Amino acid sequence: MPIYEYQCRNCNRTLQALVMSNKEEKDLKCPNCGGTDLKKLISLVSYHVPEADRLANYDPKAQHGESFFRDSRNIGLHAKWRAKQLGVDLGSTFEEKLDRIRTDPSSVIKDSE
Ligand SMILES: [Zn+2]
């Protein structure tokens, strides 16, 4: 599935979104400032890879480029990879937190204050 990257013209933050229709694209908002003036970054189109595959292909020793760190789906990937290696169950609250960090980081920061 196509995941597009956008840049907010208001705060310059980049975001990624799975966009299935023009209407969905029109409704997109910047998670940082709520801005709706988004520029599509055409060169950085990526395709949905299931997390199990991302984990299986994750190499902790690999040098990661800027695009790796810009991809919010990679947040927590190392922790999950390590937990899997050690046979540790991180539990469902870890998944929930991770989802929130990936989609709405400011809400997690607010909770920890
Ligand atoms: Zn913004």
Side-chain angles (χ1 to χ4, degrees), residues 85-103:
Q85 264 202 330
L86 298 170
V88 175
D89 182 4
L90 295 170
S92 61
T93 56
F94 182 82
E95 283 289 340
E96 284 166 29
K97 272 222 163 112
L98 210 49
D99 265 356
R100 286 176 53 208
I101 290 170
R102 286 168 174 168
T103 56

Side-chain angles (χ1 to χ4, degrees), residues 9 11 17-21 29 38 48 58 62 66-67 75 86-87 90 95 99 101 103 106:
R9 287 193 171 102
C11 70
L18 176 67
V19 175
M20 306 298 283
S21 69
K29 278 188 189 145
L38 306 175
H48 183 68
Y58 178 71
E66 195 183 340
S67 64
I75 295 172
L86 298 170
L90 295 170
E95 283 289 340
D99 265 356
I101 290 170
T103 56
S106 60

